[in-house]
Amino acid sequence: MSSATSTRQPLWLRCEKKEFERRAALTPTTARKLIDAGFDITVERDPQRIFDDEEYEKVGCKLVDNNTWPNAPTDIPIIGLKELPVSTDPLPHTHIQFAHCYKNQAGWAAVLTRFARGGGTLYDLEFLQDESGRRVAAFGFHAGFAGAAAAALALADRKTSSTSGPLKGLKLEPYNNEHDMVADVKGKLSQVKNADGTPFKPKALVIGALGRCGRGAVDLFRKIGLEEDDILKWDLAETAKGGPFEEILQVDIFINCIYLSSSIPPFVNLDTVRAAGPERRLSVIADVSCDTTNPFNPIPVYNVMTTFDAPTVEVEVGEGNPPLSVIAIDHLPTLLPREASEQFSGDLLPSLYLLPERKTARVWVEAEELFKKKLADAIAYEAQKGT
């Protein structure tokens, strides 16, 4: 099935099926700009999206029912953010999304072989790159910002909690804007006092501090009032000696913001956590990079993803040692869904303008070549499993 003949480029914004995901790959602002540039934009109704359906309709988008993209003409590219629900159904469309299947994550081959069976194509948003190899659009800054906020909230909850077990009362919900988030985090941290009644002054360490994600984490810590000397900013120079790093155990919050591409020594592990004993200061780890199922995960103290309604998992620290919580949520920027979506979609826009020329435009050609390579790897992997 194909769409009606038209010189205009069609593009279909699908709904998001991941729980709590309120961001959008296209915002009403960017949709209007694409329409003005000759696109026809179809938008699925989505009650959990931060933008109201009517906001898209007002700028000229065509609204359709929720989750109807499987019935769309196969020549219409489907754009979304998070991965599709697990299924074995063939995928005949062109999909533009974060698929999380190019780094041998759990289930990677099963995801890719759906495209092989359907004849579709994947343009993974994580691997749309400019001429220098840098991602054309990323949620990195808001991921770091939100991850640091979540970690600070978990720390405040821990310090004001009477239990050493899981933080059962802590739940995260998206904020309307950055101002509300910062005010909430500052307010909750201000309730934490030292034993002598003086204000508690947390200390944080950010690894990957020079990247977009790390800069976001540092920015949040500054805005909630941490002093500059209490924000340790590490990057390649500081980690060159190889972990594990004792310094991580000597702060209240550790934020991991690195982009993992190969095996590295762990930053912290169970042995170092347990060996630190009762004197360990570290209370919260926010693994913003979220390489939970990656075989090279540099924080091998946990093995499950966490969610907005259960944002922390407890590390098995050993009897008599203070608790340690890990946050490992793979869509943290949705804590600031409107601002994160506008920034990401705006950065993606120049590449989307080139979508009609995707068979010749470098950014799309390279992304398709990478897809074909990963698809071949997946087919070979599945064949080997079957022998």
Side-chain angles (χ1 to χ4, degrees):
M1 180 169 60
S2 92
S3 62
T5 302
S6 172
T7 57
R8 296 177 67 83
Q9 171 65 51
L11 185 60
W12 186 297
L13 176 64
R14 63 170 172 82
C15 63
E16 298 292 334
K17 286 302 182 182
K18 190 177 185 73
E19 192 175 15
F20 302 109
E21 181 55 77
R22 302 192 68 197
R23 293 172 297 169
L26 294 183
T27 70
T29 302
T30 50
R32 174 60 184 270
K33 291 178 179 178
L34 287 169
I35 291 170
D36 290 345
F39 282 64
D40 285 330
I41 306 296
T42 300
V43 175
E44 292 184 355
R45 299 180 185 275
D46 190 355
Q48 75 177 28
R49 188 186 292 134
I50 188 64
F51 303 99
D52 293 337
D53 297 335
E54 291 72 23
E55 293 183 67
Y56 290 97
E57 192 171 41
K58 286 178 181 177
V59 299
C61 299
K62 176 186 176 183
L63 295 183
V64 295
D65 289 343
N66 185 279
N67 204 37
T68 51
W69 65 264
N71 300 320
T74 56
D75 61 345
I76 299 181
I78 311 297
I79 188 169
L81 280 182
K82 300 304 292 183
E83 64 274 13
L84 297 169
V86 174
S87 170
T88 58
D89 292 344
L91 293 173
H93 292 89
T94 292
H95 285 265
I96 305 168
Q97 65 182 54
F98 289 103
H100 303 297
C101 61
Y102 281 5
K103 295 189 285 187
N104 293 2
Q105 296 98 325
W108 69 277
V111 173
L112 285 166
T113 51
R114 293 180 65 188
F115 288 94
R117 291 194 299 275
T121 301
L122 169 65
Y123 293 112
D124 196 307
L125 288 166
E126 185 176 351
F127 297 93
L128 291 182
Q129 299 178 337
D130 63 18
E131 294 85 348
S132 64
R134 185 176 175 83
R135 289 167 63 176
V136 299
F139 284 102
F141 183 89
H142 286 96
F145 196 94
L153 289 170
L155 179 64
D157 200 60
R158 172 63 70 197
K159 294 293 185 181
T160 56
S161 174
S162 59
T163 177
S164 60
L167 300 174
K168 294 181 179 179
L170 179 64
K171 295 183 184 297
L172 299 175
E173 293 185 0
Y175 292 87
N176 288 327
N177 52 58
E178 178 185 305
H179 176 271
D180 288 356
M181 172 186 276
V182 170
D184 185 44
V185 176
K186 287 180 73 173
K188 287 185 169 62
L189 272 180
S190 69
Q191 298 172 21
V192 182
K193 306 295 182 184
N194 294 316
D196 61 2
T198 58
F200 172 67
K201 295 175 61 178
K203 190 170 187 177
L205 189 154
V206 179
I207 293 186
L210 297 182
R212 283 184 278 205
C213 180
R215 292 198 304 271
V218 171
D219 189 47
L220 182 281
F221 286 136
R222 287 171 175 157
K223 286 180 176 174
I224 64 172
L226 267 67
E227 296 184 7
E228 204 66 26
D229 289 345
D230 289 331
I231 309 172
L232 278 63
K233 310 170 197 68
W234 282 24
D235 212 272
L236 292 174
E238 291 79 9
T239 58
K241 63 183 180 181
F245 301 108
E246 286 293 323
E247 294 91 334
I248 291 176
L249 305 173
Q250 298 164 7
V251 298
D252 299 288
I253 296 173
F254 165 45
I255 311 288
N256 176 38
C257 292
I258 71 162
Y259 182 82
L260 184 65
S261 58
S262 60
S263 178
I264 60 174
F267 295 151
V268 62
N269 58 28
L270 287 174
D271 289 340
T272 58
V273 167
R274 291 167 180 167
E279 301 305 312
R280 170 176 44 81
R281 181 171 177 175
L282 181 66
S283 291
V284 179
I285 298 172
D287 189 5
V288 180
S289 300
C290 235
D291 289 301
T292 312
T293 63
N294 191 310
F296 304 144
N297 179 13
I299 309 177
V301 299
Y302 76 103
N303 57 15
V304 296
M305 302 290 284
T306 63
T307 61
F308 278 23
D309 58 349
T312 62
V313 60
E314 298 307 304
V315 176
E316 296 179 2
V317 296
E319 188 175 352
N321 292 326
L324 174 59
S325 306
V326 177
I327 296 169
I329 300 172
D330 68 354
H331 58 136
L332 279 165
T334 203
L335 278 177
L336 283 175
R338 185 173 289 269
E339 287 144 313
S341 297
E342 291 288 12
Q343 173 260 308
F344 179 86
S345 192
D347 289 347
L348 184 61
L349 189 59
S351 297
L352 289 176
Y353 284 144
L354 298 174
L355 192 61
E357 292 84 46
R358 59 185 177 278
K359 294 302 180 183
T360 56
R362 181 203 53 76
V363 64
W364 297 104
V365 168
E366 291 181 358
E368 185 170 352
E369 288 174 349
L370 180 60
F371 161 69
K372 290 177 178 177
K373 178 182 182 303
K374 296 297 183 180
L375 181 60
D377 291 343
I379 292 171
Y381 175 82
E382 291 290 310
Q384 186 177 22
K385 275 193 356 182
T387 60

